[in-house]
Amino acid sequence: MANPIKHSISPFIHNAAFDLTAVNGVYVAWEILSKDLEETVENIRRYNMFGINLSMPYKQKVIPFLDELSPEAKLIGAVSTVAYKNGRLIGYNMDGKGFFKSLTNFSVKNKSMTILGSGGAATAIVAQAALDGAASIYVFGRSSSLNQTREKFEEIAEKTGVPIIICSLRDSALLQKMVESSALFINATSVGMDGTSLIVPSNFVFPKEILVADVIYQPFETPFLKLAKSQGATAVNGLGMLVYQAAEVFELWTGKAMPVELIWKELEKQYR
């Protein structure tokens, strides 16, 4: 459920998973108006559905219509998935879990990370990193909204005990310093979707041992990732985040593991 929704590739992912696991289900994209949100959510209960996924602008608006929130959804203050369990509608946020699941052989526990951006994707990733026991998190956001960003992340820091340091994207020297002490460096902004814009200075230096990630998957390789790879850093795009959050949702709904590798191959063909 979202508005707009026509661009979503989630129906392809979930319907492929239903077919491959022989689960009697179908996934459809619903473009609804705000005035219909409460009734649409109640239809999950009425028709005994597995649940729903939500995107903008309903990730926060849906909360009053749910019976319960998972720990990460409470911390983030937004819901990406609703599951219907034992007569109750439970809200989850799988974005951060999906992101970290996509980072093969990497654990953020006791490690520092730097993230660019402070929107919905960044908040989900930061909250999950804090829940997973990150040592410290550096968030670089727009100078014009630093106070608002600081307020948002203070609560996550207080509830998890993980230090979250808010910095300005304009301070490239500080960004370079923080990245050098981080194990993970993430672009969670939309900069790079045009295939030409670069979120960091062109002379930015990536430590070779750092893992670099971008939440964008179209284009398949953003200028940010190209620069990281040219310097020998390991770099991954946002396709894995999309697939693994879907896998988390599918298992929550059906109790079955999503055949991730088969679906990943099909998506790579489309987006590479």
Side-chain angles (χ1 to χ4, degrees):
M1 286 166 34
N3 194 345
I5 192 66
K6 292 179 177 67
H7 65 284
S8 176
I9 62 170
S10 292
F12 170 83
I13 294 172
H14 284 278
N15 286 321
F18 283 138
D19 288 344
L20 290 165
T21 56
V23 171
N24 182 17
V26 65
Y27 187 106
V28 295
W30 284 348
E31 187 167 294
I32 66 162
L33 299 174
S34 291
K35 67 181 181 65
D36 298 322
L37 180 61
E38 183 176 6
E39 186 177 356
T40 307
V41 171
E42 190 55 36
N43 281 339
I44 303 170
R45 209 189 315 262
R46 185 176 291 136
Y47 299 121
N48 195 26
M49 295 162 61
F50 286 129
I52 55 170
N53 282 333
L54 298 117
S55 192
M56 299 304 291
Y58 300 126
K59 287 189 170 188
Q60 293 170 318
K61 290 180 180 179
V62 74
I63 291 174
F65 309 129
L66 304 179
D67 299 312
E68 187 181 336
L69 294 181
S70 67
E72 81 282 346
K74 280 182 186 175
L75 197 57
I76 296 163
V79 167
S80 68
T81 298
V82 177
Y84 184 45
K85 300 282 185 184
N86 302 316
R88 292 174 64 76
L89 296 172
I90 307 170
Y92 299 81
N93 194 307
M94 297 300 194
D95 295 339
K97 285 183 178 179
F99 174 80
F100 284 105
K101 274 279 184 75
S102 74
L103 305 181
T104 310
N105 301 322
F106 179 86
S107 170
V108 76
K109 187 176 176 64
N110 298 324
K111 295 185 180 80
S112 294
M113 64 173 249
T114 298
I115 187 165
L116 307 176
S118 58
T123 304
I125 291 168
V126 167
Q128 194 61 50
L131 287 170
D132 290 347
S136 55
I137 301 168
Y138 307 104
V139 179
F140 283 78
R142 288 179 298 185
S143 300
S144 59
S145 57
L146 281 187
N147 288 337
Q148 186 181 350
T149 300
R150 199 170 280 112
E151 285 176 16
K152 178 164 64 170
F153 288 110
E154 268 178 2
E155 188 177 353
I156 296 174
E158 286 173 10
K159 287 183 177 178
T160 61
V162 174
I164 302 175
I165 300 91
I166 309 301
C167 315
S168 171
L169 264 171
R170 289 182 182 174
D171 195 339
S172 55
L174 181 61
L175 175 60
Q176 183 72 72
K177 183 181 177 182
M178 294 301 96
V179 168
E180 285 168 3
S181 65
S182 297
L184 176 63
F185 184 25
I186 308 156
N187 174 36
T189 75
S190 60
V191 178
M193 286 186 80
D194 59 3
T196 57
S197 301
L198 185 61
I199 187 70
V200 295
S202 57
N203 63 347
F204 193 86
V205 179
F206 291 84
K208 286 189 178 175
E209 65 277 8
I210 201 167
L211 176 59
V212 180
D214 202 321
V215 300
I216 298 168
Y217 60 90
Q218 285 184 284
F220 204 74
E221 188 176 78
T222 59
F224 175 70
L225 295 184
K226 280 180 184 175
L227 185 60
K229 285 182 178 179
S230 73
Q231 296 181 27
T234 301
V236 296
N237 68 15
L239 190 61
M241 179 180 179
L242 180 74
V243 174
Y244 278 96
Q245 65 85 19
E248 291 284 309
V249 171
F250 188 80
E251 189 163 351
L252 176 70
W253 284 345
T254 68
K256 292 194 175 188
M258 178 181 278
V260 169
E261 288 185 15
L262 292 172
I263 293 170
W264 185 295
K265 285 177 184 175
E266 288 302 313
L267 288 172
E268 271 201 325
K269 285 180 193 174
Q270 290 185 45
Y271 293 103
R272 188 181 285 281

